[in-house]
Amino acid sequence: MIPIALPLLAEDEADAAREAVLSGWVSQGPQVAAFERDFAAMVGAPHACAVSNCTTALHLALAALDIGPGDEVITASHSFIATANCARYCGATPVFVDIDPDTYNIDPDRVAEAVTPRTRAIIAVHQMGMPCDLSALVALAERYGIALIEDAACAAGSQIRMNSDWERIGKPHGRIACFSFHPRKVITTGEGGMLTTSDAELDGKFRLLRQHGMSVPDTVRHGSPQVIFENYLTVGFNYRMTDIQAAIGRKQLAKLPDIVARRRAIACRYAELLGNIEGLSVPFEPDWARSNWQSYCVRLPTILDQKAVMQRLLDQGIATRRGIMCSHREPPYADAERRHDLRQSELAQDHSILLPIYAQMTEYDQVRVADALKREFNF
Ligand SMILES: *Cc1c(COP(=O)(O)O)cnc(C)c1O
């Protein structure tokens, strides 16, 4: 069986988890602080704050910006549902706009059309690890005085060329970037997330909100020779990462350059193997983007039945997934006001499939996937 994804976890992650367990400090503590420093250094961000997952990271991003009822947040429907849900958690309204069919990322022209006096933020997703058009989106956010939040759940290790320099996603280029360490992403801590920002005040708010609004963290009280009483300054949350997760995350982070290099080589090989199948579209990478290839998404011709193709591949031991979902087609958003055309989002969901990709994938298995897919085109 060729799985859709497989985390690259080994003895060193197991050892790190063991050490964290035996250290006696298993909740948010020194390993979390070290993981934050390592992650900030990797992406080039002044501040990084670890949390329980990317969904809670996105929630904290909006909460720290005081986004609430009556506010509108422009985002893509064509994303994992957590992107839209975080606006709803705050009582704000997600306003869905369409994607660029070549990159599956939010279309900056559609964002510009959707801005209203109520717009407070844009959540731009680096979908499947492919950087979105940050130059255009940063300019738009500045022009309208709204916050740009990057949903970088899939994009650890991806790069973008900004003003002729290659920079990592998460620097961040918007106000805040949010990452996921779920096993379907490129590096994992089981569950986990990270917020990066250049704004020290925002970083302080994340730290307060992730830990019940507590004025003095338990790590500080634990190490203090004085008795300290804490206060609870706001209604916060428990969105902490554990030290066990962070210890694993530090080992994963050290492997990230190698993992991304392998995924890029696999994506390159897929393009060679699949590029000449007439009617099949392989993914497009703009010359200013270097994806980490969290997912490898190909587009089928509309005459092929997506589900039937996926079933025949599964019958041959090859797992696939359909194209990224559209939130506006799911029950929580079915009755939401639909102001903008979402045709490209729907076409992408209905006619794309994600192929297996993971750092350990062998050339042999890639050829198996390519051959099985080719057989679908003998119509
Ligand atoms: C995976 C994902 C999330 C959610 O991340 P979790 O860590 O599982 O909460 C959010 N947005 C996008 C685009 C994702 O792919």
Side-chain angles (χ1 to χ4, degrees), residues 287-339:
D287 63 5
W288 44 261
R290 284 186 194 145
S291 179
N292 64 1
W293 296 109
Q294 181 270 336
S295 289
Y296 193 86
C297 181
V298 296
R299 198 182 283 254
L300 302 173
T302 48
I303 50 162
L304 279 183
D305 179 340
Q306 179 195 46
K307 198 171 186 182
V309 170
M310 292 173 66
Q311 185 62 54
R312 283 192 291 270
L313 291 173
L314 190 59
D315 294 342
Q316 297 166 71
I318 298 168
T320 58
R321 294 288 181 271
R322 70 171 173 176
I324 301 296
M325 65 176 294
C326 289
S327 294
H328 73 274
R329 286 170 149 180
E330 297 300 322
Y333 299 97
D335 296 333
E337 184 194 353
R338 228 180 102 181
R339 292 185 209 162

Side-chain angles (χ1 to χ4, degrees), residues 248-270:
I248 294 169
R250 295 179 71 194
K251 298 294 177 192
Q252 288 275 285
L253 198 58
K255 295 177 185 175
L256 182 62
D258 183 46
I259 291 174
V260 172
R262 288 207 231 172
R263 298 181 83 100
R264 289 188 62 80
I266 292 166
C268 195
R269 188 77 182 106
Y270 263 144

